[in-house]
Amino acid sequence: MAAAQGRPSDGADGMDDAKDTARERGSALPSAFRAAVDALRTARVRPQVEVEPTPAPQRLAPYAYALEAVVVDGEQELADGRLVLLHDPAGHDAWRGTFRLVTLVRAELEPEMAADPLLPEVCWSWLTGALQARGLGYGEPSGTITRAGSHYFGGLAERPAASQIEIRASWTPREGLGGVPDTAAHLAAWCDLLAQVGGLPPAGPGDPSVVTLPQRRGPQSR
């Protein structure tokens, strides 16, 4: 993955995908969507999070833009994820707005940590706490927290058992002037979530209600 390393993400490929979708519909990109995407493309994130555009899903909304990211520590990967910005100019009843952010975040855990009965609540608090810590308005949050364990046999028996946490979530960002949400701030909050799932300390003052778990399983080599 190409490193953003705290610099503005290029985003050219992702915007080209959005333009292609608009051409297929015979229309130009809505100004609110273009402004929201431009903010994502120029956002600055913490240096441990590498961000780059990725093809966006085309069936979830009339317009979509997607980013993928990985949290790194030297040559080791701690967590990875994907963030998708959806836009429907006509609005969406379930969203209660015209924009929606959808995410998938994954990281490995120690098996005993994955067995903690409070893990789902803690992980959900990481998401809501990351948004609240940056003072972001949002609505209609929904999601699932999934714990998965892998045990290896036969030719793979030498591999240690592995456990993974997966956060799938979506929320409606509050729209500002011109109907444009502060997508750059939402991206920063999402990167805070990624870093926390990966076991990194907060970049700055956070929400005291957010619980931090001990260090995750040893990260993957790149």
Side-chain angles (χ1 to χ4, degrees):
M1 177 178 289
Q5 294 295 346
R7 297 187 295 274
S9 173
D10 183 313
D13 294 338
M15 180 58 91
D16 286 345
D17 288 339
K19 290 178 180 176
D20 289 342
T21 303
R23 292 192 190 101
E24 291 172 3
R25 289 179 165 79
S27 62
L29 289 174
S31 59
F33 177 70
R34 179 182 292 277
V37 171
D38 285 344
L40 289 175
R41 295 172 64 200
T42 57
R44 294 181 179 274
V45 301
R46 57 188 296 173
Q48 300 95 336
V49 183
E50 300 179 356
V51 182
E52 68 176 12
T54 189
Q58 301 299 321
R59 300 179 183 274
L60 299 180
Y63 303 95
Y65 180 80
L67 297 167
E68 61 182 6
V70 61
V71 180
V72 297
D73 181 13
E75 293 299 312
Q76 298 176 317
E77 296 184 2
L78 303 174
D80 65 84
R82 189 180 193 206
L83 183 68
V84 181
L85 174 69
L86 304 176
H87 179 54
D88 186 341
H92 194 293
D93 290 342
W95 303 353
R96 295 180 181 257
T98 62
F99 284 91
R100 188 75 171 172
L101 284 163
V102 181
T103 187
L104 166 65
V105 174
R106 299 172 298 194
E108 285 198 3
L109 299 173
E110 294 290 348
E112 59 272 19
M113 189 181 302
D116 187 333
L118 294 179
L119 182 66
E121 289 78 8
V122 169
C123 289
W124 186 253
S125 80
W126 292 341
L127 171 61
T128 58
L131 296 170
Q132 293 164 7
R134 291 185 177 270
L136 293 171
Y138 65 95
E140 306 307 313
S142 63
T144 60
I145 309 295
T146 303
R147 295 178 278 197
S150 299
H151 298 267
Y152 301 95
F153 301 91
L156 302 177
E158 293 184 358
R159 293 188 182 182
S163 297
Q164 186 181 70
I165 186 71
E166 181 179 276
I167 302 172
R168 293 179 180 269
S170 63
W171 65 94
T172 299
R174 179 179 298 166
E175 299 171 13
L177 294 176
V180 182
D182 189 352
T183 51
H186 280 271
L187 174 59
W190 180 68
C191 289
D192 291 341
L193 168 65
L194 268 173
Q196 188 160 25
V197 170
L200 295 181
D207 183 346
S209 68
V210 176
V211 180
T212 300
L213 288 183
Q215 177 65 44
R216 307 325 172 254
R217 166 180 289 279
Q220 302 296 306
S221 296
R222 306 188 73 192

